[in-house]
């Protein structure tokens, strides 16, 4: 080690420690990193409190447990599976996901969460001369990976109704990303519009369907007709497996083969393959779970409207609530004091809004009671 750090690490919760470290480090040019890595702040994940006795509605986890079938598989793991490397392409999961999505297994690639696929896509398609384009506001990880990959990010604003911007088709980007349903707005762009976009652009269209399990439609059928579409799916939201880290891509086999060139050799572990496979096979449990979340989304929306928030229709497992008094950050802080965590984004067009994950009816009732108290 050439230099000693003089940082003193005190006992504090992990999130504030990470934020403090990041703030200390940003702007300190060590000279070891590539220039664009030195200058970026890095992605700031939502707060993960260590206590369990909190109402956690800030990172869009499913409020219900994963399928009992998935949990049963955990008890049946053979220690031999730890000694050996896992199946590098997770064939068992590919077959199960192919059946659910009505495609062949070679249309599927397993990923270590949907974020793993995003990183692979940037690595595979983008560089200094090959930009990425996406409508904003959207998932705040896209610009961070663009910086890491040193590619230009062309950000096209959504209109006030969050319709797909017509200009997105004319950017000449190597990679165009549409998050659908979009985060953090919950808005949904029709399958026909995305088919037209795929038709018009020269590059790849990645449709980020991390939240699609809570929507009425999805774009899976398009991969049969378009060789430039890659669909991202996550097991974190609809299947209640955020802690497992599992997602997958759906695309034509030639596209999947290309993406596999940039994946880690063993990007999904043996336990994750077994658990995710059992979860996706249990469609009965999955459908019941989704039905409960959707019905609670409708109730939460209604109640927030009654509290005088503006809430746009959401096709995801969260709602974006606009505080008419503009005091979103104050409300966010008051909720945090009461151990109720929602997400506040300090980004243009989001400063007066709170993104609230749909919880259980009991959790949402506690949130609503706290909001009533704060707003009175
Ligand atoms: C829009 C969007 N895409 C992709 C992901 C990645 O999900 P995961 O890596 O948990 O599968 C997330 C996670 O929150 C997301 O919000």
């Amino acid at each position: 080690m050439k230099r000693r750090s003089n940082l003193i690490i005190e006992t504090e919760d992990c999130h504030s420690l990470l934020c403090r470290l990041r703030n200390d480090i940003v702007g300190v040019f060590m000279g070891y990193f590539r220039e664009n890595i030195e200058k970026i702040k890095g992605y700031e994940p939502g707060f993960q409190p260590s206590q369990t006795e909190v109402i956690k509605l800030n990172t869009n986890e499913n409020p219900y447990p994963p399928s009992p079938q998935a949990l049963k598989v955990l008890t049946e793991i053979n220690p031999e599976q730890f000694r050996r490397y896992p199946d590098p392409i997770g064939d068992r999961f590919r077959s199960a996901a192919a059946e659910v999505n009505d495609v062949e297994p070679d249309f599927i690639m397993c990923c270590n969460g949907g974020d793993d696929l995003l990183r692979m896509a940037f690595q595979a398609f983008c560089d200094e001369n090959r930009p990425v384009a996406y409508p904003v506001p959207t998932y705040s990880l896209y610009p961070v990976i663009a910086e890491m990959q040193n590619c230009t990010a062309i950000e096209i604003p959504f209109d006030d109704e969050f319709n797909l911007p017509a200009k997105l088709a004319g950017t000449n980007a190597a990679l165009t990303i549409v998050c659908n349903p979009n985060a953090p707005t919950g808005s949904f762009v029709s399958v026909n519009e995305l088919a037209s976009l795929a038709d018009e652009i020269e590059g790849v269209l990645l449709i980020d369907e991390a939240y699609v399990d809570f929507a009425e439609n999805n774009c899976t059928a398009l991969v049969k007709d378009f060789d430039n579409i890659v669909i991202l799916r996550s097991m974190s939201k609809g299947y209640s497996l955020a802690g497992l880290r599992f997602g997958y891509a759906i695309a034509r086999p030639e596209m999947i083969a290309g993406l596999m060139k940039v994946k880690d050799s063993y990007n999904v572990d043996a336990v994750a393959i077994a658990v995710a496979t059992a979860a996706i096979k249990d469609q009965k449990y999955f459908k019941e779970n989704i039905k409960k979340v959707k019905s609670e989304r409708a109730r939460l929306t209604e109640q927030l409207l009654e509290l005088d928030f503006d809430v746009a229709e959401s096709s995801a497992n969260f709602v974006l609530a606009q505080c008419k008094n503009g005091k979103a950050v104050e409300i966010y802080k008051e909720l945090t004091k009461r151990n109720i965590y929602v997400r506040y984004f300090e980004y243009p067009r989001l400063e007066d809004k709170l993104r609230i994950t749909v919880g259980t009816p009991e959790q949402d009732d506690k949130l609503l009671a706290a909001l009533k108290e704060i707003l009175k």
Side-chain angles (χ1 to χ4, degrees):
M1 193 154 101
K2 296 208 178 142
R3 277 175 234 156
R4 259 172 210 277
S5 161
N6 58 1
L7 280 176
I8 299 162
I9 298 173
E10 295 155 7
T11 316
E12 59 186 307
D13 72 63
C14 191
H15 186 258
S16 53
L17 174 63
L18 275 174
C19 290
R20 195 163 63 81
L21 283 175
R22 187 175 283 135
N23 289 338
D24 285 348
I25 289 163
V26 166
V28 177
F29 289 85
M30 294 186 78
Y32 296 136
F33 295 89
R34 283 163 49 221
E35 199 185 321
N36 50 327
I37 302 297
E38 293 261 12
K39 75 179 187 218
I40 59 170
K41 196 167 172 215
Y43 180 67
E44 211 165 294
F47 177 47
Q48 304 298 341
S50 48
Q51 323 94 291
T52 44
E53 297 308 306
V54 297
I55 310 265
K56 191 174 177 313
L57 305 173
N58 66 335
T59 50
N60 299 338
E61 287 119 336
N62 196 306
Y64 300 108
S67 150
Q69 298 303 320
L71 299 176
K72 184 165 164 272
V73 159
L74 267 183
T75 63
E76 292 164 357
I77 299 284
N78 178 342
E80 183 65 2
Q81 283 178 271
F82 291 111
R83 194 186 60 75
R84 293 170 62 157
Y85 282 105
D87 173 356
I89 57 171
D91 257 338
R92 284 173 58 207
F93 180 86
R94 293 178 91 195
S95 300
E99 202 177 319
V100 167
N101 289 289
D102 193 25
V103 291
E104 293 300 317
D106 54 0
F107 277 69
I108 306 286
M109 177 178 68
C110 301
C111 311
N112 188 9
D115 286 347
D116 187 28
L117 175 61
L118 289 172
R119 188 189 279 268
M120 282 187 230
F122 275 83
Q123 212 179 349
F125 306 120
C126 300
D127 64 21
E128 296 83 343
N129 306 310
R130 299 168 60 95
V132 62
Y134 47 83
V136 285
T138 193
Y139 187 26
S140 49
L141 182 64
Y142 305 153
V144 176
I145 312 183
E147 288 269 18
M148 289 180 193
Q149 191 60 19
N150 210 11
C151 73
T152 304
I154 306 168
E155 301 192 335
I156 314 276
F158 276 112
D159 66 15
D160 287 342
E161 271 77 50
F162 300 107
N163 294 306
L164 196 65
K167 279 189 185 158
L168 199 58
T171 62
N172 256 332
L175 174 66
T176 301
I177 307 180
V178 178
C179 186
N180 201 43
N182 188 42
T185 59
S187 48
F188 191 82
V189 172
S190 76
V191 175
N192 282 346
E193 280 176 275
L194 290 170
S196 305
L197 179 62
D199 208 21
E200 281 173 72
I201 61 176
E202 293 293 323
V204 170
L205 173 61
L206 188 150
I207 306 172
D208 181 343
E209 290 194 341
Y211 297 99
V212 86
D213 297 330
F214 308 97
E216 299 307 314
N217 211 343
N218 64 59
C219 286
T220 313
L222 297 185
V223 295
K224 292 182 182 164
D225 297 327
F226 291 94
D227 68 359
N228 64 339
I229 290 185
V230 177
I231 292 176
L232 176 155
R233 289 288 178 82
S234 171
M235 298 296 285
S236 301
K237 324 288 179 181
Y239 290 87
S240 313
L241 291 173
L244 189 77
R245 311 305 304 130
F246 209 95
Y248 63 102
I250 315 176
R252 291 199 60 80
E254 318 81 75
M255 178 63 87
I256 292 289
L259 285 167
M260 283 212 187
K261 292 188 206 169
V262 296
K263 83 172 187 66
D264 284 351
S265 318
Y266 304 102
N267 64 331
V268 283
D269 67 72
V271 177
I273 296 170
V275 174
T277 306
I280 204 166
K281 279 187 169 176
D282 193 351
Q283 285 295 301
K284 184 170 175 287
Y285 180 89
F286 164 75
K287 284 179 185 154
E288 281 162 12
N289 184 335
I290 297 296
K291 206 168 142 191
K292 282 193 284 188
V293 174
K294 281 177 161 178
S295 129
E296 179 58 12
R297 179 179 69 199
R299 189 186 76 97
L300 178 63
T301 304
E302 207 174 282
Q303 297 284 311
L304 287 168
L305 287 169
E306 272 183 28
L307 281 177
D308 215 24
F309 284 91
D310 257 342
V311 188
E313 192 184 330
S314 170
S315 296
N317 68 335
F318 55 81
V319 295
L320 190 65
Q322 181 176 17
C323 314
K324 287 195 194 151
N325 65 6
K327 294 190 172 162
V329 71
E330 286 85 351
I331 298 174
Y332 164 77
K333 283 181 185 160
E334 282 299 320
L335 287 172
T336 304
K337 275 190 211 159
R338 292 163 172 80
N339 274 337
I340 299 175
Y341 297 95
V342 298
R343 192 85 189 255
Y344 174 73
F345 295 96
E346 228 176 333
Y347 292 130
R349 296 169 75 191
L350 298 176
E351 296 105 333
D352 59 345
K353 302 180 180 73
L354 297 173
R355 192 196 67 189
I356 305 171
T357 306
V358 177
T360 60
E362 296 73 29
Q363 290 174 324
D364 293 346
D365 280 345
K366 287 189 182 147
L367 164 84
L368 291 160
L371 284 173
K372 257 183 220 156
E373 193 186 289
I374 295 164
L375 291 170
K376 79 174 182 242

